[in-house]
Amino acid sequence: MTTKQPLSHLDWLEAEAIHILREVAGQCANPVLLFSGGKDSLCILRLAEKAFRPGRFPFPLMHIDTGHNYQEVVNFRDQRAAELGERLIVRSVEDSMKRGTVVLKTPDEPRNKHQSVTLLEAIEEFGFDCCIGGARRDEEKARAKERIMSFRDEFGQWDPKNQRPELWNLYNARVHKGENIRAFPISNWTEMDVWQYIEREKLELPSIYFAHQRDVVMRHGAIFPVNVPLTSGELINQPKAGEEVINMQVRFRTVGDVTCTAPVISDADDVSKIVVETATTTITERGATRLDDQTSEASMEQRKKEGYF
């Protein structure tokens, strides 16, 4: 008799995520995978490889670029898509600004929340009926309310009180024309699971996830990166009068718009050290580093109701 080896917790999570990706491919007519070059979407790319290779992915990749993304991440995004040979669609908040559908209150206003507008415009442009994203329930309490197949109405809006039951891993991705599903294959993963999976699969990452020297200032109790170069060559996040610029060793736990993503002090310069560091932290990655989530306790939920990822 042969003895069956029990699956590790990563094997279980991987199997569930692959099942979800295949359910999307089977139920949805025109899905798309949201890919930013960040750690969560890189995990989903590996899961998609395991779900569909040696064939091509049954969906393109898409990034909603604020125009204020970290250069290292944008370069890595393009490199990874080229290596996979998959189609990458990029739509920019700056294009929405030119059309007048996004209007900033001030030139330095964070653009993260305005991604909702550009995303909904891209969904309408391409007729996508499902967007696969890397959101996880442990990140933020509004995300903890999400189903794995999260229903959005014809206006792209999310109503947390109007979601479908998901019993026994049965997923319902059926929608009427104009409606949309947001699918979250790694919804049940934690930040630790992500890093352990990255370590196991030996995934490459943008360099800013690892400890490096960076000019920062202390602002509103957070470490705020300054003089950050964009892909255009422009320097963003200029220090304000009276702020002391410090060169500090930091890394990023999560990556988003330059104007609202803060690093943390760290000497973790490889994945194994990050795993150890993650095991000891008491603050969620978004709670520690996403300044746009700290405007109010309901800021994320409000953005999601308006169509955010």
Side-chain angles (χ1 to χ4, degrees), residues 9-27:
H9 81 285
L10 286 182
D11 290 330
W12 277 108
L13 291 171
E14 179 185 73
E16 178 188 54
I18 288 172
H19 170 63
I20 293 165
L21 286 169
R22 289 173 175 167
E23 283 293 302
V24 169
Q27 294 190 44

Side-chain angles (χ1 to χ4, degrees), residues 68-85:
H68 284 172
N69 291 94
Y70 286 94
Q71 184 176 0
E72 301 96 323
V73 181
V74 172
N75 292 343
F76 190 88
R77 174 202 72 189
D78 295 341
Q79 172 194 324
R80 192 71 191 101
E83 290 170 350
L84 288 169

Side-chain angles (χ1 to χ4, degrees), residues 255-293:
V255 174
D257 190 286
V258 171
T259 60
C260 60
T261 307
V264 294
I265 299 171
S266 175
D267 61 1
D269 55 5
D270 62 35
V271 174
S272 62
K273 291 179 182 178
I274 292 176
V275 170
V276 173
E277 194 175 86
T278 303
T280 60
T281 187
T282 58
I283 305 175
T284 65
E285 60 194 286
R286 294 192 73 92
T289 66
R290 295 304 286 266
L291 305 181
D292 55 333
D293 288 346

Side-chain angles (χ1 to χ4, degrees), residues 68-232:
H68 284 172
N69 291 94
Y70 286 94
Q71 184 176 0
E72 301 96 323
V73 181
V74 172
N75 292 343
F76 190 88
R77 174 202 72 189
D78 295 341
Q79 172 194 324
R80 192 71 191 101
E83 290 170 350
L84 288 169
E86 297 293 343
R87 179 188 176 200
L88 174 65
I89 300 166
V90 178
R91 290 294 179 267
S92 175
V93 172
E94 292 184 338
D95 292 334
S96 298
M97 291 164 60
K98 292 174 184 176
R99 286 191 291 268
T101 52
V102 167
V103 180
L104 302 183
K105 294 179 181 177
T106 61
D108 60 350
E109 179 188 355
R111 299 177 180 182
N112 258 21
K113 68 177 183 179
H114 298 295
Q115 287 177 294
S116 305
V117 174
T118 310
L119 174 63
L120 295 178
E121 290 174 343
I123 289 172
E124 183 177 3
E125 177 185 354
F126 293 98
F128 294 129
D129 58 353
C130 178
C131 295
I132 305 165
R136 308 187 322 269
R137 288 183 175 131
D138 77 317
E139 290 181 278
E140 205 273 343
K141 53 191 173 185
R143 286 184 165 172
K145 296 180 181 181
E146 291 270 23
R147 299 289 193 267
I148 285 176
M149 297 287 187
S150 180
F151 173 75
R152 308 297 170 100
D153 64 20
E154 62 271 23
F155 301 105
Q157 296 179 329
W158 173 66
D159 180 358
K161 296 181 180 179
N162 182 27
Q163 296 296 309
R164 298 163 176 174
E166 291 181 342
L167 306 175
W168 304 292
N169 293 332
L170 298 176
Y171 304 114
N172 180 0
R174 290 174 294 179
V175 291
H176 296 293
K177 185 175 178 59
E179 297 172 339
N180 192 262
I181 290 289
R182 307 288 169 85
F184 302 115
I186 62 171
S187 184
N188 291 329
W189 296 35
T190 65
E191 184 184 10
M192 175 63 87
D193 295 328
V194 168
W195 282 111
Q196 288 181 325
Y197 192 73
I198 288 169
E199 183 177 38
R200 188 184 83 172
E201 298 296 313
K202 298 179 173 58
L203 300 184
E204 292 185 38
L205 292 167
S207 59
I208 66 174
Y209 279 111
F210 304 103
H212 60 282
Q213 297 295 132
R214 185 176 287 271
D215 286 344
V216 300
V217 297
M218 300 305 298
R219 187 179 296 175
H220 306 305
I223 301 169
F224 194 77
V226 293
N227 299 324
V228 181
L230 301 177
T231 52
S232 64

